[in-house]
C-alpha cells in the first residue's frame, strides 16, 4: 500500500506515524513545502514572550529524526500543485528549482493545514508587520522586538492566538493594543457577557482593547509606525496580523473534491468525495459532536485526534471520528479562559430551549494559599436537562473544569448525571463539592425554580430597572443599596415590602441565594438573585454616585493613578517623562489631556514625572488611551523598578557624564524591560552628573554619580605663590604641603574642578567614570547609601551592576522591606561581594521565573 501524505505538521505526521505502526509494510511518504515538520504551532506566542527560550524547543521532530523513528519517508521543500483523483496522481513542485514531477499513490491523505490571513491593506508588507503561524514567524518577530527595541504593538484580531500574542508581548514590556472588527473579543467562542468580562479584566491589566474597530492601513515609511483605523491612528512599532486563517487548499480547485469555503468536506471516516482520498487537520470541515452539523475547528488537538483515527481507518479498523466540541483554553495576563460545546447563542440558533446559569465558585479550598475563583457559565437544554456547553474564566485550572464539561457533553450527560460526580478533592486542588458540580447544582436549582435569578446579560441589558437592590455581602459594599445582614434575618426585613421587586446581590452569589430562600419563607413574592454577583457584574444603584472599590483603587494605582484624598472617585495620574524631559509637542498633549480628562491642573512630582490632577475614575482608561496614541504612558508606582530621575548633567556646566543618555538607557532596560518583575518593594534609581548631589543619588535605592578622579604628579609642581588647584577646590581638600600640591584622597569627591587648573600639569585626570551608591532611602526612615569600592569606567559595566543590584534585591530581599534594609540585614561587605560577582547574571532566568514577591510592599 502506497500512501502519500500532503502536509506534515500535526495531522499529517500523526497519521503517518500511527499508520506505520498499524501496517509496517505500508510505503508512506510525507511531502511538505516547509523545511520543518511536526512543530509546536500553539507554542509560538510563548517563544515570543520568552517562556520558551530556544527555537529548537518548538520542533517536536526534525524530518530526519521523524523518518528514523517511524520509517516514514519525508520530503521537505515540496509543494502539491494539483491532484488527479481518477489517475491517483499528485503533481508536486520542488520549491528550490521550481521543477515539477508527478507522484502516484494508492491512498492520499490531505493534511495541508491553514495559513494566516494577511489583509490586503496599504502598508501590510512593511517591516515590522508579522503573522504568527510558523516557527520562523516567531523567531523573526522576537529578533525584531530586540533589534528595534519595540515599545508599542498593535495586534489585529481578538481571538485565542491574538490574545495569546498580546499577553506575550506584554511580558516583553511592550504596550499592547488589540483591535477587532467584531463587537466583542473572542467572537463565536464566548458569549458576549463573558467576553465583556474578559475584556474588562484585560483592560485592568493594561491591555488596550478596541472592538467594533476596522483596520484600514498600516502606516509608516521604512517600517511599521502604527495602524490607521476608522477611529484614527494608533502608533505602534510592531503590528501583528491575527485576523484568521485560510485552508491551504488552492491546489485542489480543479480536482473535483467537495469543499465549503475552502475547507474539505469529509465523512465520519475522514473520507473526501474522491475515492481513496482522505483529509484531516485544519483544512477539513468535520461535524459538531452535539448537533451533527458541519463545523470547522482548526485546533492542534483535534488535528492530532483526526490524524490518529484516520490512520486506524486506513489500516482496516472499524473506526469513526465523532466530531468536535470546539473545546479550547487560553492563557491571558493573570487570567485563564476555557470553553467547550455550544455557546448560548449557538444553542438557541440550533433550536434548543436554552437555560443558563452564571456561577462563581472557589477554585480550591478558600483557606488554601492563592485560592481564587471561577466564573462559570453553564448551558443546558431546558426540556431534557442535557448539558450543551460550558465557559469558564479564572486564575486557576480552568482546563480541568473545561475537560470535565467536554467529557460530560461527549457522553450525552444530563445535569442529573453530574450532580454526584466523584471528583478528586484535596484543599490544594479543589473544594469538597467540586466547583463544576456546584455549578450543576445552581443550574438545577434554577430549572426547578428553587432559585429565581437574573443573568449578567439580562442585568447589563437593563432588566433590573425598577428593582430595589439589596446588598447581602458580609460587609456593605454597594453605595445606595439596602444592606441586609443575612445572619440576622429571622422574619420580615424592615424597608422591604413583600411585593417589592427585589434584586439580591452579594459578593459571589451564594449569600443572595440563601437570603432568597429565607425571604420566600417569610412571604416575599418577587425576589431575584443576580447571578455572578459583584464578582462578575458592575453593580450600581440608580441615582447614586459611583464610589470606587478598594480593589479598583489598588488596581489603578498600579497604572500610575493615586487617589486624590479630597475626593471619593478622583485620581492624580502620573505621566512618565524621560527624567523630566519632554518635547514641546508632548507638553501640548499632556496639557490637552489635563483639560479633557482631569481638572486642567498639572503638578510635577519629586521624581520628575508629571501628574494630571483630579481625573475621575471613569476617565482613567480614556486618558491612558489618549496619551498612548501620542507615545506617552502612565505608571511609576508599585513594587518594581521606578522611573529613573536624573539631574541635567548633560547640559549643566558642572556635569561630568551624559546623564540624559545614561538615565534613558537605564529607563528602557530596567523600567520598561523589568516592568513585569515584582520586587520586595519599590526600587528607585537616581543619576547625578557630579557630586553637587542635586537629585540625591545617595538617598535612592541605587545612585550613580559621575566621577573625575585627580592624580598628583609632585615632580611637576612649581610651588607657585598662588596655586590655582588649591583656589579651585570647592571643598578645600587640595592644599600645599611642604611646598608641593597634595589632595586628601579620602575626602576628595572627584568633582573634577581642579583638573587642567595647574599650568604645569601637576594635577591631571587619573580616571573618568561612575561611582555607584547602594542602599539609600529618603522618607520617614532615612538611610544614606554606601558606595561600591570601585570606580566604574565602562558604561556597560555600570548597566550590568544596576541589573545585578535589582536581581540581588529580588533574590535576597524579604517581601515588604526596602533595599536599604536588605543591605543592612545581609551586611554591606557581603552584599558588595555578591553584586560584584557574576553569579547573579548566571542565574538571572531562574531568578526572574521564580514566583516571588507577588504582593510587594510599596504603598505609593
Amino acid at each position: 500500500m502506497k500512501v502519500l501524505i500532503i502536509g506534515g505538521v500535526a495531522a499529517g505526521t500523526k497519521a503517518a506515524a500511527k499508520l506505520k505502526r498499524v501496517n509496517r509494510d505500508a510505503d508512506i511518504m510525507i511531502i511538505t513545502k516547509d523545511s520543518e515538520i511536526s512543530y509546536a504551532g500553539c507554542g509560538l506566542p510563548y517563544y515570543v514572550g520568552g517562556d520558551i527560550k530556544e527555537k529548537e524547543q518548538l520542533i517536536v521532530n526534525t524530518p530526519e529524526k521523524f523518518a528514523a523513528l517511524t520509517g516514514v519517508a519525508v520530503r521537505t521543500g515540496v509543494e502539491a500543485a494539483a491532484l488527479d483523483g481518477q489517475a491517483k496522481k499528485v503533481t508536486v513542485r520542488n520549491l528550490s528549482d521550481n521543477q515539477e514531477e508527478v507522484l502516484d499513490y494508492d491512498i492520499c491523505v490531505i493534511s495541508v493545514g491553514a495559513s494566516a490571513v494577511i489583509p490586503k491593506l496599504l502598508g501590510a508588507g512593511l517591516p515590522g508587520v508579522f503573522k504568527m503561524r510558523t516557527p520562523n514567524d516567531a523567531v523573526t518577530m522576537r529578533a525584531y522586538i530586540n533589534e528595534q527595541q519595540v515599545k508599542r504593538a498593535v495586534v489585529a484580531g481578538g481571538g485565542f492566538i491574538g490574545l495569546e500574542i498580546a499577553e506575550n508581548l506584554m511580558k516583553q514590556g511592550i504596550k499592547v493594543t488589540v483591535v477587532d472588527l467584531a463587537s466583542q473579543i473572542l467572537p463565536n467562542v464566548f458569549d458576549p457577557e463573558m467576553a465583556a468580562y474578559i475584556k474588562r479584566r484585560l483592560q485592568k491589566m493594561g491591555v488596550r482593547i478596541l472592538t467594533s474597530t476596522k483596520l484600514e492601513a498600516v502606516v509608516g515609511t521604512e517600517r511599521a509606525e502604527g495602524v490607521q483605523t476608522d477611529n484614527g491612528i494608533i502608533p505602534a512599532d510592531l503590528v501583528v496580523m491575527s485576523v484568521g486563517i485560510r485552508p491551504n487548499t488552492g491546489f485542489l480547485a480543479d480536482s473535483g473534491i467537495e469543499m465549503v469555503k475552502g475547507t474539505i468536506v469529509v465523512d465520519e471516516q475522514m473520507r473526501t468525495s474522491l475515492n481513496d482520498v482522505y483529509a484531516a487537520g485544519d483544512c477539513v470541515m468535520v461535524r459538531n459532536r452535539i448537533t451533527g452539523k458541519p463545523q470547522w475547528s482548526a485546533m492542534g488537538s483535534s488535528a492530532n485526534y483526526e490524524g490518529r483515527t484516520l490512520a486506524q481507518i486506513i489500516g482496516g479498523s472499524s473506526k469513526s471520528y465523532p466530531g468536535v466540541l470546539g473545546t479550547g483554553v487560553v492563557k491571558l495576563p493573570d487570567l485563564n479562559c476555557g470553553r467547550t460545546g455550544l455557546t448560548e447563542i449557538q444553542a438557541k440558533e440550533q433550536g434548543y430551549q436554552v437555560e443558563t446559569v452564571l456561577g462563581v465558585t472557589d477554585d480550591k479550598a478558600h483557606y488554601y494559599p492563592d485560592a481564587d475563583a471561577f466564573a462559570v457559565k453553564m448551558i443546558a437544554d431546558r426540556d431534557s436537562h442535557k448539558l450543551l456547553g460550558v465557559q469558564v474564566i479564572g486564575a486557576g485550572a480552568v482546563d480541568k473544569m473545561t475537560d470535565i464539561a467536554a467529557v460530560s457533553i461527549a457522553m450525552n450527560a444530563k445535569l442529573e448525571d453530574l450532580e454526584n460526580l466523584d471528583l478528586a478533592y484535596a484543599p490544594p486542588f479543589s473544594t469538597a463539592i467540586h466547583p463544576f458540580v456546584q455549578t450543576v447544582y445552581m443550574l438545577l436549582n434554577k430549572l426547578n425554580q428553587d432559585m429565581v435569578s437574573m443573568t449578567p446579560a439580562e442585568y447589563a441589558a437593563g432588566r433590573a430597572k425598577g428593582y430595589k437592590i439589596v446588598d447581602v455581602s458580609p460587609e456593605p459594599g454597594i453605595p445606595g443599596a439596602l444592606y441586609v445582614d443575612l445572619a440576622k434575618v429571622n422574619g420580615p426585613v424592615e424597608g422591604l415590602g413583600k411585593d417589592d421587586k427585589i434584586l439580591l446581590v452579594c459578593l459571589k452569589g451564594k449569600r443572595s441565594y440563601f437570603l432568597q430562600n429565607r425571604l420566600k419563607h417569610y412571604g416575599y413574592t418577587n425576589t431575584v438573585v443576580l447571578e455572578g454577583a459583584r464578582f462578575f457584574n458592575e453593580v450600581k444603584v440608580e441615582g447614586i454616585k459611583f464610589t470606587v472599590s478598594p480593589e479598583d483603587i489598588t488596581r489603578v494605582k498600579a497604572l500610575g493613578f493615586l487617589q486624590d484624598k479630597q475626593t471619593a472617585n478622583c485620581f492624580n495620574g502620573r505621566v512618565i517623562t524621560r527624567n523630566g524631559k519632554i518635547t514641546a509637542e508632548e507638553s501640548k498633549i499632556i496639557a490637552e489631556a489635563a483639560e479633557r480628562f482631569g481638572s486642567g491642573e498639572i503638578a510635577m512630582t519629586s521624581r520628575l514625572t508629571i501628574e494630571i490632577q483630579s481625573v475621575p475614575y471613569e476617565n482613567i482608561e480614556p486618558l491612558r488611551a489618549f496619551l498612548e496614541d501620542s507615545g506617552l504612558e502612565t505608571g511609576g508606582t508599585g513594587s518594581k523598578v521606578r522611573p529613573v530621575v536624573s539631574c541635567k548633567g548633560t547640559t549643566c556646566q558642572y556635569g561630568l557624564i551624559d546623564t540624559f543618555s545614561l538615565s534613558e538607557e537605564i529607563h528602557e532596560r530596567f523600567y520598561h524591560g523589568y516592568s513585569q518583575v515584582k520586587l520586595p518593594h519599590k526600587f528607585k534609581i537616581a543619576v547625578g552628573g557630579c557630586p553637587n548631589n542635586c537629585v540625591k543619588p545617595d538617598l535612592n535605592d541605587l545612585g550613580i554619580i559621575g566621577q573625575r578622579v585627580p592624580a598628583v604628579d609632585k615632580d611637576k609642581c612649581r610651588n607657585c605663590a598662588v596655586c590655582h588647584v588649591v583656589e579651585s577646590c570647592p571643598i578645600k581638600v587640595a592644599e600645599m604641603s611642604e611646598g608641593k600640591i597634595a589632595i586628601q584622597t579620602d575626602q576628595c569627591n572627584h568633582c573634577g574642578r581642579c583638573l587642567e587648573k595647574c599650568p604645569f600639569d601637576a594635577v591631571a585626570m587619573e580616571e573618568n567614570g561612575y561611582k555607584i551608591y547602594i542602599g539609600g532611602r529618603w522618607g520617614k526612615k532615612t538611610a544614606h547609601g554606601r558606595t561600591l569600592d570601585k570606580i566604574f569606567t565602562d558604561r556597560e559595566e555600570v548597566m550590568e551592576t544596576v541589573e545585578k543590584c535589582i536581581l540581588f534585591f529580588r533574590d535576597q530581599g524579604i517581601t515588604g522591606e526596602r533595599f536599604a534594609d536588605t543591605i543592612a540585614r545581609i551586611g554591606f561587605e557581603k552584599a558588595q561581594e555578591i553584586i560584584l560577582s557574576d553569579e547573579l547574571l548566571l542565574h538571572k532566568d531562574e531568578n526572574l521565573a521564580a514566583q516571588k514577591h507577588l504582593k510587594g510592599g510599596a504603598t505609593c
Side-chain angles (χ1 to χ4, degrees):
M1 180 169 58
K2 193 172 187 179
V3 180
L4 178 64
I5 298 178
I6 307 171
V9 180
T13 52
K14 176 60 69 175
K18 179 63 177 175
L19 181 56
K20 196 67 175 177
R21 292 194 296 272
V22 170
N23 183 352
R24 193 68 193 168
D25 294 328
D27 178 6
I28 305 173
M29 176 187 289
I30 293 176
I31 62 168
T32 176
K33 65 180 182 179
D34 296 321
S35 60
E36 294 155 334
I37 65 166
S38 193
Y39 57 79
C42 298
L44 302 181
Y46 304 99
Y47 176 81
V48 173
D51 287 345
I52 298 172
K53 304 298 180 186
E54 304 296 334
K55 173 190 172 183
E56 288 71 25
Q57 294 173 267
L58 296 170
I59 308 302
V60 179
N61 272 312
T62 63
E64 296 77 17
K65 182 179 175 183
F66 183 81
L69 285 171
T70 63
V72 173
V74 180
R75 289 183 62 184
T76 59
V78 177
E79 181 179 32
L83 183 146
D84 185 338
Q86 282 192 326
K88 290 191 173 185
K89 296 183 183 298
V90 175
T91 302
V92 301
R93 183 183 301 113
N94 190 314
L95 297 180
S96 62
D97 57 15
N98 218 31
Q99 294 296 308
E100 290 189 351
E101 63 178 302
V102 175
L103 303 176
D104 59 349
Y105 63 83
D106 297 316
I107 290 176
C108 179
V109 174
I110 303 170
S111 56
V112 289
S115 296
V117 173
I118 302 297
K120 294 181 179 179
L121 299 174
L122 181 67
L126 284 169
V129 180
F130 290 88
K131 56 184 176 64
M132 183 57 59
R133 195 65 184 169
T134 69
N136 187 57
D137 295 330
V139 171
T140 54
M141 185 188 295
R142 192 163 92 175
Y144 189 87
I145 288 169
N146 294 329
E147 291 164 5
Q148 300 298 325
Q149 297 185 337
V150 170
K151 303 296 184 301
R152 298 169 297 179
V154 168
V155 177
F160 274 1
I161 297 297
L163 295 181
E164 285 175 345
I165 294 168
E167 184 211 15
N168 282 281
L169 291 174
M170 284 185 67
K171 287 180 181 177
Q172 298 282 22
I174 297 169
K175 297 286 184 182
V176 181
T177 300
V178 176
V179 176
D180 201 300
L181 181 61
S183 60
Q184 66 169 79
I185 56 173
L186 300 166
N188 303 314
V189 178
F190 284 84
D191 280 312
E193 76 277 17
M194 299 294 280
Y197 176 80
I198 297 168
K199 179 180 177 180
R200 291 198 302 272
R201 288 286 299 266
L202 292 178
Q203 286 174 326
K204 289 178 179 181
M205 291 302 299
V207 182
R208 186 183 179 196
I209 298 177
L210 303 176
T211 50
S212 301
T213 300
K214 183 181 180 182
L215 188 66
E216 296 180 337
V218 178
V219 297
T221 51
E222 296 182 358
R223 62 177 63 89
E225 297 173 6
V227 297
Q228 174 73 54
T229 74
D230 55 355
N231 290 320
I233 291 178
I234 305 171
D237 312 308
L238 178 83
V239 178
V240 185
M241 296 294 182
S242 184
V243 296
I245 56 175
R246 181 182 294 118
N248 298 320
T249 54
F251 74 99
L252 296 171
D254 298 323
S255 66
I257 198 168
E258 183 183 356
M259 293 192 288
V260 176
K261 295 181 179 179
T263 60
I264 304 167
V265 177
V266 296
D267 63 13
E268 290 184 353
Q269 276 72 46
M270 308 307 293
R271 289 187 295 245
T272 72
S273 59
L274 300 180
N275 290 333
D276 295 322
V277 178
Y278 297 77
D282 290 357
C283 61
V284 305
M285 178 75 74
V286 289
R287 285 174 173 74
N288 182 282
R289 193 159 180 160
I290 301 172
T291 67
K293 295 183 179 179
Q295 180 169 323
W296 186 32
S297 183
M299 299 287 287
S301 52
S302 50
N304 275 278
Y305 295 140
E306 291 163 19
R308 185 179 190 275
T309 303
L310 168 58
Q312 292 173 298
I313 291 167
I314 294 172
S317 296
S318 179
K319 291 269 186 177
S320 63
Y321 184 70
V324 295
L325 293 172
T327 307
V329 65
V330 62
K331 179 180 179 294
L332 303 176
D334 286 348
L335 192 68
N336 303 317
C337 310
R339 59 92 61 213
T340 190
L342 303 177
T343 65
E344 179 181 1
I345 293 172
Q346 291 164 350
K348 287 179 177 177
E349 288 173 346
Q350 294 302 317
Y352 288 101
Q353 298 301 307
V354 175
E355 192 64 86
T356 74
V357 78
L358 191 291
V360 177
T361 68
D362 294 332
D363 64 357
K364 56 178 69 72
H366 68 276
Y367 52 80
Y368 194 81
D370 296 327
D372 207 278
F374 291 133
V376 188
K377 180 171 183 177
M378 188 169 281
I379 301 143
D381 178 59
R382 190 180 297 120
D383 297 331
S384 66
H385 291 195
K386 179 182 176 181
L387 183 64
L388 299 176
V390 165
Q391 299 162 42
V392 55
I393 302 167
V398 303
D399 58 320
K400 181 168 68 173
M401 294 283 285
T402 305
D403 288 343
I404 295 170
V407 171
S408 301
I409 295 171
M411 299 301 174
N412 291 311
K414 296 180 180 180
L415 297 175
E416 288 81 0
D417 299 325
L418 306 173
E419 60 179 327
N420 288 306
L421 280 180
D422 189 10
L423 299 173
Y425 162 65
F429 301 102
S430 183
T431 50
I433 298 178
H434 196 280
F436 183 86
V437 176
Q438 288 186 48
T439 313
V440 169
Y441 289 169
M442 294 179 211
L443 187 47
L444 281 172
N445 284 339
K446 187 173 179 180
L447 286 163
N448 298 332
Q449 291 294 299
D450 291 331
M451 179 179 76
V452 179
S453 61
M454 182 183 298
T455 68
E458 291 170 333
Y459 179 75
R463 187 188 152 192
K465 188 172 180 63
Y467 277 76
K468 184 177 288 186
I469 295 180
V470 173
D471 186 353
V472 201
S473 307
E475 300 290 339
I478 306 174
L482 174 66
Y483 177 72
V484 173
D485 185 344
L486 175 64
K488 296 179 180 179
V489 176
N490 295 302
V493 176
E494 185 177 349
L496 291 180
K498 291 192 175 181
D499 293 324
D500 288 348
K501 295 168 71 175
I502 300 167
L503 183 66
L504 304 173
V505 185
C506 61
L507 289 177
K508 294 182 178 178
K510 184 184 290 186
R511 294 170 66 90
S512 298
Y513 169 61
F514 290 167
L515 181 58
Q516 182 181 64
N517 181 268
R518 291 192 193 184
L519 292 178
K520 283 181 180 179
H521 177 74
Y522 294 120
Y524 289 85
T525 60
N526 202 353
T527 62
V528 176
V529 171
L530 179 59
E531 296 175 18
R534 289 166 54 197
F535 181 92
F536 192 88
N537 303 278
E538 295 181 321
V539 181
K540 299 178 184 178
V541 176
E542 226 176 316
I544 300 297
K545 189 174 181 180
F546 175 65
T547 301
V548 185
S549 69
E551 294 80 12
D552 274 337
I553 290 172
T554 300
R555 177 184 67 81
V556 299
K557 184 174 71 175
L559 301 175
F561 290 83
L562 303 179
Q563 189 174 29
D564 183 338
K565 67 179 183 180
Q566 302 174 90
T567 68
N569 70 334
C570 284
F571 296 78
N572 299 327
R574 293 184 175 179
V575 184
I576 304 302
T577 67
R578 294 173 296 280
N579 316 304
K581 188 177 182 181
I582 57 174
T583 66
E585 186 59 34
E586 287 170 334
S587 69
K588 291 176 186 176
I589 296 295
I590 294 170
E592 184 180 350
E595 289 183 345
R596 289 175 59 174
F597 304 104
S599 65
E601 295 180 317
I602 293 172
M604 290 295 298
T605 73
S606 60
R607 301 294 298 177
L608 300 185
T609 59
I610 294 175
E611 274 194 357
I612 296 177
Q613 302 287 285
S614 297
V615 179
Y617 175 83
E618 58 270 22
N619 283 357
I620 288 176
E621 288 305 326
L623 168 61
R624 294 182 69 234
F626 179 79
L627 293 172
E628 284 177 9
D629 283 346
S630 299
L632 293 164
E633 60 183 324
T634 64
T637 54
S639 295
K640 55 183 71 174
V641 178
R642 294 291 182 86
V644 185
V645 62
S646 82
C647 70
K648 60 172 188 169
T650 305
T651 58
C652 175
Q653 60 179 316
Y654 302 121
L656 307 178
I657 58 173
D658 186 345
T659 53
F660 286 160
S661 173
L662 176 62
S663 56
E664 189 159 15
E665 185 175 355
I666 294 172
H667 182 82
E668 292 304 326
R669 282 177 63 168
F670 304 117
Y671 175 69
H672 282 142
Y674 273 58
S675 62
Q676 304 300 314
V677 177
K678 292 285 189 179
L679 299 176
H681 213 293
K682 56 192 168 190
F683 192 87
K684 296 182 175 181
I685 302 173
V687 179
C690 74
N692 282 344
N693 224 25
C694 295
V695 291
K696 301 180 282 295
D698 62 331
L699 293 174
N700 280 257
D701 298 282
L702 185 143
I704 301 170
I705 297 181
Q707 304 287 296
R708 288 188 182 165
V709 182
V712 174
D713 186 344
K714 292 189 177 185
D715 292 338
K716 293 182 178 180
C717 178
R718 304 293 181 86
N719 192 19
C720 301
V722 176
C723 178
H724 295 300
V725 173
V726 173
E727 291 293 314
S728 66
C729 181
I731 59 173
K732 306 305 179 186
V733 297
E735 60 184 6
M736 297 301 293
S737 175
E738 298 179 356
K740 295 291 184 179
I741 183 67
I743 296 176
Q744 300 174 49
T745 55
D746 59 330
Q747 297 181 39
C748 176
N749 63 11
H750 307 157
C751 71
R753 303 273 280 279
C754 62
L755 298 174
E756 300 180 358
K757 292 296 189 292
C758 176
F760 307 106
D761 295 327
V763 177
M765 186 162 64
E766 180 180 287
E767 285 185 307
N768 182 18
Y770 313 81
K771 185 181 287 186
I772 297 179
Y773 287 82
I774 61 171
R777 177 178 57 207
W778 184 251
K780 293 184 287 290
K781 186 180 177 184
T782 304
H784 280 271
R786 288 183 59 179
T787 60
L788 298 176
D789 288 343
K790 67 181 294 185
I791 301 292
F792 295 85
T793 57
D794 179 71
R795 179 156 148 173
E796 184 53 37
E797 189 179 10
V798 172
M799 300 302 293
E800 285 187 357
T801 304
V802 172
E803 184 165 29
K804 286 192 281 188
C805 287
I806 297 168
L807 294 170
F808 174 81
F809 187 33
R810 177 170 165 80
D811 185 54
Q812 300 287 336
I814 298 171
T815 301
E817 74 176 0
R818 289 293 297 273
F819 191 42
D821 300 321
T822 305
I823 299 293
R825 176 170 52 81
I826 291 173
F828 177 82
E829 297 302 332
K830 181 63 176 177
Q832 177 174 233
E833 178 186 341
I834 296 171
I835 289 168
L836 293 181
S837 75
D838 290 329
E839 284 299 307
L840 288 160
L841 293 179
L842 291 174
H843 297 96
K844 171 182 170 180
D845 291 343
E846 179 184 343
N847 186 342
L848 297 181
Q851 293 292 299
K852 294 182 177 182
H853 316 299
L854 299 181
K855 300 290 184 184
T859 57
C860 62

